[in-house]
Amino acid sequence: MEFSSVQKLCLHLISSAYQRCRLSEQICRLSVGLTCSSSSDPSLKISISDTGLGSSLVEFQEMRFSFANVADNWDGMLSIKTTSISDSEIHNYQINLKESGSSRITKLPSDAKNGAKFSGSEVCLSTIVNPDLLLAEIHNLLEKMLILNIPNVAIQLVAEDSDVPESRYEEVFLANTCEQLPISTSSLEHLKSGLEDYVLKHGNNLSDHCTSCFTRREEVKVGSGVACSSENRLHTELVMEAVLAISNISTQNTTCFREYGDKTEVLYFKDFSPSTMSPSSMKALKSIDWKRYGLHLGRIVEQDGIALLEWENLPTDTHIDIVLHSYLKQYPTSETAKHITGIPAPRKRSQIDRSLVKRAIKFSLDDLKAKHFGDFLSSRALQIRNYAPDLAQTIAGLIFSSSDLNFQRECFSLLGLQSQDVGTEIMENSIMEKIVSVIEMNDKDPDKSKEIAPFLFEEDDHIQEELEVEFQENYLSPLDLDINMF
């Protein structure tokens, strides 16, 4: 759904307040109030307040806003109250977004704090907009923001008609309470926990984890990665965090609903607010070498501003969830604005995002592969592994057909088997395990400098040499098959 300019502004102001709360590293409240009067005033009064760090005028000076769809619904005026913990007064401003630069800001008389120590901001505006539609959009925004899982922010959403007391609507949004993480935990760890919770609740459609599909949190395989820009000239380092979650749900469980079926919705956040992916970022998704991790990307489709990935040859019970978060490491608040000399222009930031998306997702896939050894083999490794049973059968046949009992005993010993009670099937399985382990080991980090692959049977050098001679002289030389296969 395409948002109007005023709706986009409200979502942006909520996101800014959320960041101020996050950066305070204290328990904070963020309140969003929508108040109308059905009998006397057709306008909707919107208030967004927080108890985080004081606001900086930089964010309002840099704010870009389109009045193309506003007409007479709004005059472009914002009223702002803000103070930091070190201030002795509350600063009052009026912002006219129809103006540009410093001329859009008017300073009003301040209010004394009378020695009180607190910080926070409040932004207010009045406009003519459908209150039910705006309420639904804000509610959806706040639900998605729970994925960020910032533990020190409690969000209150209130809507009411002042002429109808019983019309009051109120809801509180809290971060994931199932897995308590310290406030000092990195935002990437919070994002991991938030996506896990999102998956376990089937896209936050449930109030609690779905016990029909998941008995334990550990059933969801999660990998994460972070990439940063090297653009330090502006003192505003850009960060891209990526988290992938892979879950398995029985297709027989028809009671559980996935909004996009077997497609992967790429949840994209920009500066701690849900956003649509830029075309350059979607190109980055296409350029990733998914086959290196055993995944086959079919195509990327866009539906209602959401990027959806369609996979080929993905098991029907497997689902992939992806979340990306791009944000400026140094956010302009009243405490940090003096250190900030510039913010990347949207076009340049989009170009940086493309590179960071590719790197961050690659790091998260590498993380998944390292944590779940053997589960995310490359397409090439999977093809090679398909030959393991036949190769194991051939080697087992060569060992059993040997007339040299000492040679056979050495083979049994290297495989950890007892010659007197071993059968053909046990021998083949043992050899196949060795072959598969070598394939998985060499596939773990294919970018490493090429080294001699480990021997299928590891033992002292002189025994290894004897085995090679025995194979080459009696069995393998016609086939040109070396025991050091990979």
Side-chain angles (χ1 to χ4, degrees), residues 216-283:
R216 295 179 299 110
R217 191 181 188 91
E218 292 73 19
E219 292 178 10
V220 181
K221 299 174 182 176
V222 180
S224 61
V226 60
C228 302
S229 71
S230 57
E231 184 75 28
N232 294 321
R233 178 175 57 84
L234 299 176
H235 305 290
T236 51
E237 187 177 25
L238 194 61
V239 178
M240 180 70 71
E241 297 173 344
V243 181
L244 279 81
I246 298 184
S247 54
N248 297 92
I249 300 176
S250 173
T251 54
Q252 297 177 354
N253 193 348
T254 57
T255 59
C256 293
F257 170 74
R258 288 189 182 276
E259 187 174 0
Y260 298 105
D262 57 357
K263 300 183 183 69
T264 292
E265 175 191 3
V266 182
L267 299 158
Y268 188 77
F269 290 82
K270 183 178 179 180
D271 297 325
F272 295 85
S273 179
S275 179
T276 55
M277 288 194 73
S278 66
S280 63
S281 293
M282 283 197 270
K283 286 182 180 178

Side-chain angles (χ1 to χ4, degrees), residues 456-471:
L456 182 60
F457 306 121
E458 294 188 7
E459 189 54 87
D460 294 339
D461 291 342
H462 72 281
I463 298 178
Q464 179 67 48
E465 291 171 1
E466 290 177 6
L467 288 173
E468 289 183 351
V469 170
E470 178 72 13
F471 265 91

Side-chain angles (χ1 to χ4, degrees), residues 172-211:
V172 176
F173 299 82
L174 299 173
N176 174 25
T177 56
C178 298
E179 186 181 37
Q180 295 289 348
L181 296 175
I183 294 177
S184 59
T185 302
S186 70
S187 62
L188 181 61
E189 289 300 315
H190 286 302
L191 189 63
K192 283 172 57 180
S193 178
L195 183 62
E196 285 179 10
D197 208 48
Y198 181 84
V199 172
L200 295 170
K201 293 181 179 180
H202 294 313
N204 283 344
N205 288 315
L206 306 176
S207 58
D208 206 347
H209 296 173
C210 178
T211 55

Side-chain angles (χ1 to χ4, degrees), residues 70-217:
V70 176
D72 297 327
N73 293 345
W74 183 45
D75 58 7
M77 302 300 293
L78 297 177
S79 296
I80 300 175
K81 293 177 177 287
T82 185
T83 186
S84 67
I85 197 72
S86 59
D87 288 338
S88 59
E89 55 188 12
I90 300 171
H91 306 286
N92 297 311
Y93 300 93
Q94 194 171 62
I95 311 289
N96 185 352
L97 292 183
K98 289 186 176 181
E99 301 292 338
S100 60
S102 58
S103 62
R104 62 167 50 174
I105 301 175
T106 302
K107 184 170 174 53
L108 304 176
S110 302
D111 300 319
K113 292 170 68 172
N114 299 320
K117 293 290 185 182
F118 62 88
S119 63
S121 302
E122 181 181 28
V123 182
C124 299
L125 68 146
S126 294
T127 182
I128 298 176
V129 67
N130 186 321
D132 294 331
L133 181 60
L134 182 59
L135 176 62
E137 289 166 356
I138 292 176
H139 185 278
N140 182 56
L141 169 82
L142 298 180
E143 269 200 335
K144 283 198 171 182
M145 287 172 70
L146 290 178
I147 298 174
L148 298 174
N149 199 31
I150 307 300
N152 64 313
V153 187
I155 306 176
Q156 179 189 38
L157 176 60
V158 178
E160 61 182 337
D161 186 332
S162 58
D163 296 330
V164 186
E166 61 271 18
S167 67
R168 181 180 173 88
Y169 162 88
E170 182 174 358
E171 187 166 352
V172 176
F173 299 82
L174 299 173
N176 174 25
T177 56
C178 298
E179 186 181 37
Q180 295 289 348
L181 296 175
I183 294 177
S184 59
T185 302
S186 70
S187 62
L188 181 61
E189 289 300 315
H190 286 302
L191 189 63
K192 283 172 57 180
S193 178
L195 183 62
E196 285 179 10
D197 208 48
Y198 181 84
V199 172
L200 295 170
K201 293 181 179 180
H202 294 313
N204 283 344
N205 288 315
L206 306 176
S207 58
D208 206 347
H209 296 173
C210 178
T211 55
S212 300
C213 297
F214 308 101
T215 57
R216 295 179 299 110
R217 191 181 188 91

Side-chain angles (χ1 to χ4, degrees), residues 395-420 422 427 467 470-471 475:
I395 296 174
L398 293 173
I399 294 173
F400 277 119
S401 62
S402 173
S403 59
D404 189 334
L405 297 181
N406 289 330
F407 168 73
Q408 285 188 340
R409 278 194 294 270
E410 290 288 358
C411 291
F412 297 147
S413 176
L414 290 172
L415 291 168
L417 302 173
Q418 298 297 322
S419 59
Q420 58 268 27
V422 70
M427 170 70 80
L467 288 173
E470 178 72 13
F471 265 91
Y475 305 104

Side-chain angles (χ1 to χ4, degrees), residues 215-392:
T215 57
R216 295 179 299 110
R217 191 181 188 91
E218 292 73 19
E219 292 178 10
V220 181
K221 299 174 182 176
V222 180
S224 61
V226 60
C228 302
S229 71
S230 57
E231 184 75 28
N232 294 321
R233 178 175 57 84
L234 299 176
H235 305 290
T236 51
E237 187 177 25
L238 194 61
V239 178
M240 180 70 71
E241 297 173 344
V243 181
L244 279 81
I246 298 184
S247 54
N248 297 92
I249 300 176
S250 173
T251 54
Q252 297 177 354
N253 193 348
T254 57
T255 59
C256 293
F257 170 74
R258 288 189 182 276
E259 187 174 0
Y260 298 105
D262 57 357
K263 300 183 183 69
T264 292
E265 175 191 3
V266 182
L267 299 158
Y268 188 77
F269 290 82
K270 183 178 179 180
D271 297 325
F272 295 85
S273 179
S275 179
T276 55
M277 288 194 73
S278 66
S280 63
S281 293
M282 283 197 270
K283 286 182 180 178
L285 293 176
K286 293 179 182 178
S287 66
I288 293 170
D289 185 8
W290 297 99
K291 291 183 179 180
R292 176 174 170 180
Y293 307 92
L295 300 171
H296 298 260
L297 181 64
R299 62 178 185 143
I300 301 177
V301 297
E302 188 175 347
Q303 181 176 326
D304 298 328
I306 297 171
L308 300 175
L309 309 186
E310 294 183 353
W311 304 97
E312 296 177 355
N313 304 324
L314 193 69
T316 55
D317 64 341
T318 300
H319 192 79
I320 302 174
D321 290 272
I322 300 176
V323 60
L324 294 166
H325 185 199
S326 167
Y327 62 93
L328 296 172
K329 193 170 185 179
Q330 186 82 324
Y331 181 76
T333 67
S334 60
E335 304 293 333
T336 62
K338 59 186 178 182
H339 303 295
I340 297 177
T341 58
I343 296 176
R347 183 175 179 181
K348 184 172 184 179
R349 177 166 176 176
S350 178
Q351 293 170 346
I352 299 173
D353 274 356
R354 177 178 178 176
S355 171
L356 295 183
V357 164
K358 185 173 181 178
R359 287 165 52 199
I361 289 185
K362 178 185 179 300
F363 293 153
S364 63
L365 287 166
D366 288 341
D367 185 39
L368 259 177
K369 194 167 186 173
K371 288 178 179 175
H372 303 280
F373 190 63
D375 285 352
F376 299 95
L377 295 178
S378 66
S379 297
R380 176 174 172 78
L382 289 172
Q383 289 176 339
I384 296 173
R385 195 173 67 173
N386 289 336
Y387 294 104
D390 291 340
L391 189 56

